Amino acid sequence: MTFSEEKYSDEPTRVQQLVKDFFSDQSGADVGADGLPVTLALGADAKDDCAVYDIGAPVTLVVGSDYIRGPKFILYEMGLLSNFDIGYYLAAANISDVAAMGATPIGLLSVIRYPHELDDAGFQDVVAGVHQACTDFGTLNVGGDIGNAERLILSGTALGICPPGKTLKRSGARPGDLLCVTGTCGLLGAAVAYFPKRDSFTHTLPADVEKELLDSWRKPRARVAEGRVLAQKSFATSCQDTSDGLKATIEQIMHASGVGFRIDERNVPVAPAVRMVAELMKVEPLALTMSASSDFQLTFTVAPDDVSACRAEFTDLGLDFHVIGEATEERGARGLDGERSRPLPGVAWKHQKSDISLLASEPSDP
């Protein structure tokens, strides 16, 4: 459906006419995985109050909810992200939560509240982004809530399943376990640090680097395949996604598991684009890599004896991870670089009131 002029339909019209193309032919779909029979008995196409799943075998249902849109979603406010992009991000953020628990997503419930100023085309773009992300991650947007608000507000609830006893948790890391991460962190945080202050730096980044930073927001990847391997093969003793940044994730696993961590700073992967932004900000690249950033990588611990088998499973699926540290009996997380030992650099996301672009340059906690 295309629009040649701006239109502002009422809520019933938007639900009945603009959303239906994304919700068709859902009811009766087989959404199970890994030998677990699950049927979406009533999908959004049924136009009922709730989605209904028929679960025909013992199965663990994993449910996670996340609100992602606020007045400080700065790259959207700057016009650098589209309505489609933030719809996609909504789905990815919620699906990432169930992926971090080792679950396979079977559906997403979405809340889309919009201001009167958002025309039909803009509204449809948000829904299209949610729909595309669900398609990319192998699941369905099964409806939710749509209506007016004073500004655009997005929230979601992801549903996932896994075999009983296979759920991954933040707790469970043991002294001696190795700490791993599925890829580079800090790209999304670097984008937020760079673009609002772009004109104040001594120079701007090359166009391809700017595109890489924005693309990290436009289609972030929930690590569904990685989570399933870690859960089903019982490799991970603990796991969490890096939606609050790598430093925050390490600290949260540490507290939940009752262990400490030694991080080999030389083994933490740093993206070239993050390194370039850090140079402009005059902060060390590792600090920016570990600071607040919603990269949706998985950080997990694994017993030393299982690392080789885990890597082989990852490699067979075209996946990878980096071993960046070790769990210790002594509490606290410290970075090691040769003989140097220090508190982890960077600033963990703790819902600060300050501008996120300043976070990486704040001093580390003592």
Side-chain angles (χ1 to χ4, degrees):
M1 184 183 299
T2 59
F3 295 83
S4 57
E5 61 183 43
E6 293 181 348
K7 295 182 180 180
Y8 299 86
S9 302
D10 57 22
E11 179 184 337
T13 300
R14 288 189 167 184
V15 172
Q16 293 173 15
Q17 298 184 9
L18 304 183
V19 174
K20 64 179 181 179
D21 291 342
F22 301 107
F23 291 158
S24 62
D25 301 322
Q26 292 187 2
S27 296
D30 179 2
V31 295
D34 309 318
L36 301 174
V38 180
T39 300
L40 179 59
L42 292 178
D45 55 334
K47 300 180 181 179
D48 220 312
D49 282 337
C50 296
V52 176
Y53 291 88
D54 286 337
I55 300 177
V59 62
T60 296
L61 178 66
V62 176
V63 181
S65 186
D66 212 350
Y67 160 81
I68 64 97
R69 175 73 178 94
K72 299 297 185 182
F73 210 71
I74 186 64
L75 299 184
Y76 175 75
E77 302 290 351
M78 294 178 66
L80 297 173
L81 299 179
S82 68
N83 290 314
F84 180 96
D85 295 334
I86 60 172
Y88 193 102
Y89 184 92
L90 168 68
N94 280 278
I95 292 172
S96 178
D97 284 341
V98 299
M101 301 287 288
T104 299
I106 60 171
L108 177 79
L109 293 164
S110 56
V111 176
I112 302 174
R113 290 281 173 170
Y114 57 87
H116 291 290
E117 293 77 19
L118 183 69
D119 66 10
D120 286 1
F123 167 79
Q124 191 186 33
D125 281 345
V126 175
V127 182
V130 174
H131 174 79
Q132 185 60 56
C134 288
T135 300
D136 290 349
F137 300 126
T139 191
L140 296 168
N141 176 13
V142 295
D145 179 51
I146 293 173
N148 289 120
E150 72 280 3
R151 54 182 170 80
L152 187 60
I153 299 172
L154 303 178
S155 183
T157 298
L159 309 174
I161 56 170
C162 61
K166 295 293 187 179
T167 306
L168 300 177
K169 298 180 291 184
R170 297 179 182 184
S171 58
R174 301 161 298 203
D177 285 351
L178 299 180
L179 181 67
C180 309
V181 64
T182 54
T184 56
C185 297
L187 275 169
L188 284 85
V192 174
Y194 171 72
F195 284 103
K197 300 181 181 299
R198 180 178 183 270
D199 295 336
S200 67
F201 292 125
T202 56
H203 61 276
T204 57
L205 297 176
D208 61 328
V209 177
E210 290 189 345
K211 182 178 183 301
E212 180 183 359
L213 291 172
L214 289 176
D215 284 349
S216 69
W217 278 96
R218 287 169 175 156
K219 281 197 174 181
R221 183 161 71 87
R223 307 287 162 168
V224 175
E226 291 90 335
R228 288 174 63 186
V229 170
L230 294 172
Q232 292 171 22
K233 300 293 183 178
S234 299
F235 288 132
T237 56
S238 67
C239 186
Q240 184 182 336
D241 75 357
T242 61
S243 56
D244 289 335
L246 182 56
K247 179 177 180 177
T249 301
I250 292 171
E251 292 176 345
Q252 289 161 11
I253 293 176
M254 176 183 72
H255 291 303
S257 297
V259 298
F261 282 110
R262 288 194 299 263
I263 308 301
D264 189 335
E265 297 182 2
R266 296 165 296 185
N267 290 343
V268 178
V270 179
V274 172
R275 195 177 298 277
M276 295 172 73
V277 173
E279 180 181 351
L280 290 174
M281 294 176 64
K282 302 187 186 310
V283 299
E284 65 172 301
L286 187 64
L288 186 56
T289 294
M290 302 194 76
S291 289
S293 185
S294 302
D295 300 282
F296 304 142
Q297 300 288 354
L298 296 186
T299 298
F300 60 95
T301 54
V302 59
D305 291 344
D306 291 335
V307 170
S308 295
C310 184
R311 190 173 296 283
E313 291 284 346
F314 268 56
T315 300
D316 286 346
L317 295 172
L319 307 173
D320 195 11
F321 64 86
H322 305 264
V323 177
I324 63 172
E326 180 181 7
T328 64
E329 292 185 0
E330 182 180 358
R331 302 295 177 86
R334 299 190 66 82
L336 303 177
D337 184 358
E339 298 298 321
R340 181 180 65 171
S341 173
R342 61 170 175 166
L344 293 182
V347 178
W349 177 245
K350 298 176 182 176
H351 301 284
Q352 291 95 332
K353 295 181 180 179
S354 59
D355 183 349
I356 191 174
S357 70
L358 302 176
L359 291 180
S361 58
E362 291 183 2
S364 297
D365 295 334

